[in-house]
Amino acid sequence: AAAAEARKAEALIQRNAKERQAYFASTMQKLIEKHSIELKDNESRVRAEMAREARVTCTAAIKAALDEERVKSLREKQQAVQAAVRAAVSTNLPVAARDARPDVSESYAASRRAEAEKASGA
């Protein structure tokens, strides 16, 4: 009878151990599936955020390049105007930029006439 009881107890222990293993395996499988889904969601969010950041960076880079090109173009135009003004001044020709503004060109023309009269009168 004691041996039978010992066998029953051993069988019960083994059955409980198998149930615990099955429960543990099931719980672990659920956790793995849950974390797998969370990982996929996180990966999707990270990819979307990286794409947004890349678009923002790309847009900023394009804007900076356009601004730099615009500044370069303005600088080149300014240098061309300055060269034209220097050439006009060195040859005593009226400066086109001044002629484009009537209020300045009239006073400029008047001052040039006064200089010419002084030079001829002196």
Side-chain angles (χ1 to χ4, degrees), residues 97-119:
R98 290 185 180 164
D99 291 340
R101 298 182 298 181
D103 57 325
V104 175
S105 64
E106 290 172 14
S107 63
Y108 176 73
S111 67
R112 297 294 279 172
R113 281 193 297 276
E115 288 175 17
E117 288 173 8
K118 284 183 187 176

Side-chain angles (χ1 to χ4, degrees), residues 4 6 10 13-14 18 56 59 66 80 84 91 100 104 110 114:
E10 183 63 29
I13 289 171
Q14 287 180 0
K18 287 180 182 178
V56 167
T59 301
L66 290 174
T91 58
V104 175

Side-chain angles (χ1 to χ4, degrees), residues 28-88:
M28 291 308 295
Q29 183 63 33
K30 289 176 186 175
L31 282 173
I32 290 169
E33 289 171 2
K34 178 183 173 188
H35 288 297
S36 175
I37 291 169
E38 289 175 0
L39 180 62
K40 287 178 184 176
D41 289 346
N42 286 340
E43 285 176 355
S44 297
R45 271 185 287 210
V46 167
R47 279 194 194 108
E49 183 61 29
M50 288 175 66
R52 275 192 295 278
E53 288 176 4
R55 280 193 299 273
V56 167
T57 302
C58 191
T59 301
I62 290 170
K63 184 181 181 308
L66 290 174
D67 288 347
E68 184 178 328
E69 196 60 35
R70 193 175 299 117
V71 167
K72 182 180 174 185
S73 175
L74 289 173
R75 191 176 306 127
E76 288 173 355
K77 287 178 185 176
Q78 185 180 22
Q79 289 171 348
V81 168
Q82 288 171 348
V85 168
R86 282 193 298 275

